[in-house]
Amino acid sequence: MKRTAVYPFTAIVGQEEMKLSLILNVINPALGGVLIKGEKGTAKSTAVRALAELLPPMAAVHGCRFHCDPHSSQPCDDCTAKLQAEGTLPEETINMRVVELPVSATEDRVVGTLDIEHAIKHGEKKFEPGILAQANRNILYVDEINLLDDHVVDVLLDAAAMGVNTVEREGVSYSHPARFVLVGTMNPEEGDIRPQLLDRFGLSVVVTGEHDPLQRVEVIKRRLAYENDAESFIAGYKEAQEELAGKIIAAGKLLPEVTIDDKLLETVAKLSVELGVDGHRADITVIKTALTLAAFNGRKQANLDDLKEAAKLVLPHRMRRRPFEEGELDWNKVESFLAAEA
């Protein structure tokens, strides 16, 4: 089935930190997602949809409710049973897609439901998949995430961190793969999310409209050209799209081989202490992000520049110390510290 024409990811003007954060999460979903804060009309949703379009089709088990990877060592229960019975799994090719979660979504709608009556009567589990099932191996997009129920956000972040969704009802439980790229967007003018939830997003970026008149003109020109003839416009970016997609795929394969030396681990720990960052999640996420950046740049060893770039994406939203207190990251302090450690 032919897709609807989507604005090319490589045609988006500016917003480099947002684009990089999205790319890093596709390479390494274990980063824990990205929160994009910004006013309306700053290409947030355009970038998310364009990213899914950028990536090539992927192999999936034909008919699987969770579109499992046929070569995965941890398929869902249904695929495991089929593999044991038939010795092989039928394959199909599917496109990565953006699964949107409405602000009004309930917990049952998100995680899915178990039919307890069926389990009691027939002695077998009957599971009705939810949004997390659809999201497996896709991008889960939550617009206005600050307006979503806190408990539902908790569930999303748990699944994003674990890669598994587990539903328990009346002593009966069911688990399925839920490995997805979580992208939350919000307009800070409409309210914030709790600091405890904010800390659990791997990366966070703030996007604003372009202030350079020439850049704004370029935004207008590209948008008008796209609306005038989408196919020709998209064709003009085909080479850039393929090049970036290839780089992302190569990075995903290289990532398990990327290492970082103990001195840099110590540098990250010292930086977190210096900035007064609570807990250890920030340290771990900075390291994961630095490793992913190295892979994206085709290197097997993360360096200090990777740490610096990672810190820019990981630390700012973790500087808030108490409710109603706006903590800000003093980037000059970070650069001075890292320069001293070099």
Side-chain angles (χ1 to χ4, degrees):
M1 185 175 72
K2 190 178 179 182
R3 290 189 185 185
T4 306
V6 174
Y7 195 87
F9 190 83
T10 53
I12 297 172
V13 177
Q15 312 298 10
E16 298 305 327
E17 285 191 354
M18 174 178 70
K19 291 188 288 190
L20 179 61
S21 295
L22 290 169
I23 288 169
L24 294 177
N25 271 277
V26 167
I27 295 169
N28 185 5
L31 291 179
V34 55
L35 178 65
I36 305 172
K37 294 183 174 185
E39 59 211 28
K40 293 184 183 299
T42 46
K44 298 189 295 292
S45 59
T46 298
V48 175
R49 292 183 177 86
L51 183 63
E53 177 68 21
L54 173 72
L55 300 169
M58 54 189 176
V61 176
H62 180 72
C64 175
R65 296 180 293 175
F66 314 107
H67 20 84
C68 285
D69 180 347
H71 310 294
S72 171
S73 59
Q74 295 178 310
C76 68
D77 292 348
D78 296 347
C79 288
T80 300
K82 184 179 286 187
L83 188 60
Q84 290 172 346
E86 301 175 13
T88 184
L89 293 172
E91 294 187 25
E92 64 178 337
T93 300
I94 62 172
N95 293 315
M96 176 178 272
R97 65 191 185 95
V98 177
V99 176
E100 296 193 41
L101 190 148
V103 172
S104 59
T106 61
E107 183 184 352
D108 282 350
R109 176 75 185 90
V110 173
V111 303
T113 56
L114 275 166
D115 188 334
I116 302 301
E117 188 177 340
H118 182 89
I120 294 171
K121 282 184 177 179
H122 303 280
E124 61 182 19
K125 299 173 186 177
K126 185 178 180 183
F127 178 68
E128 187 64 37
I131 291 173
L132 289 181
Q134 298 173 38
N136 187 41
R137 304 183 72 204
N138 287 310
I139 295 172
L140 181 57
Y141 177 52
V142 190
D143 193 17
E144 298 183 320
I145 195 167
N146 50 319
L147 304 182
L148 197 64
D149 181 87
D150 281 350
H151 181 60
V152 174
V153 178
D154 258 331
V155 168
L156 292 178
L157 291 167
D158 280 341
M162 301 296 293
V164 175
N165 174 43
T166 300
V167 183
E168 295 185 16
R169 296 287 186 275
E170 308 295 334
V172 179
S173 68
Y174 186 92
S175 297
H176 68 79
R179 192 170 183 267
F180 53 86
V181 177
L182 176 63
V183 181
T185 59
M186 57 177 279
N187 183 346
E189 294 175 359
E190 297 171 353
D192 213 334
I193 60 177
R194 289 192 290 117
Q196 295 93 325
L197 295 178
L198 197 60
D199 175 59
R200 294 183 60 197
F201 272 95
L203 313 182
S204 176
V205 294
V206 176
V207 294
T208 58
E210 291 291 339
H211 296 293
D212 180 347
L214 292 179
Q215 288 283 78
R216 292 182 77 97
V217 167
E218 188 61 27
V219 170
I220 296 167
K221 282 183 175 178
R222 292 188 188 184
R223 191 69 207 186
L224 291 177
Y226 169 74
E227 291 179 1
N228 183 54
D229 188 344
E231 286 191 10
S232 295
F233 184 80
I234 291 168
Y237 286 88
K238 184 181 179 184
E239 189 176 330
Q241 292 277 99
E242 289 176 350
E243 184 181 340
L244 179 55
K247 192 176 175 184
I248 290 171
I249 293 163
K253 292 175 181 175
L254 181 63
L255 182 60
E257 301 176 40
V258 181
T259 59
I260 188 166
D261 64 44
D262 287 351
K263 185 179 186 302
L264 290 180
L265 297 182
E266 191 178 332
T267 297
V268 172
K270 286 179 179 177
L271 177 61
S272 291
V273 172
E274 180 73 16
L275 296 174
V277 177
D278 294 328
H280 301 286
R281 185 176 283 120
D283 307 45
I284 294 167
T285 310
V286 167
I287 297 300
K288 284 183 178 179
T289 305
L291 292 169
T292 311
L293 279 162
F296 183 51
N297 290 306
R299 288 182 279 105
K300 290 187 178 182
Q301 181 79 27
N303 59 32
L304 190 63
D305 286 338
D306 295 322
L307 281 188
K308 187 186 292 186
E309 199 162 4
K312 216 177 256 190
L313 302 172
V314 174
L315 296 179
H317 64 295
R318 293 182 163 90
M319 298 308 297
R320 178 175 299 179
R321 304 306 302 269
R322 290 183 291 275
F324 310 114
E325 179 183 54
E326 290 292 336
E328 290 186 3
L329 178 64
D330 184 345
W331 187 247
N332 289 329
K333 186 176 181 179
V334 173
E335 288 197 315
S336 298
F337 178 86
L338 293 177
E341 288 289 312

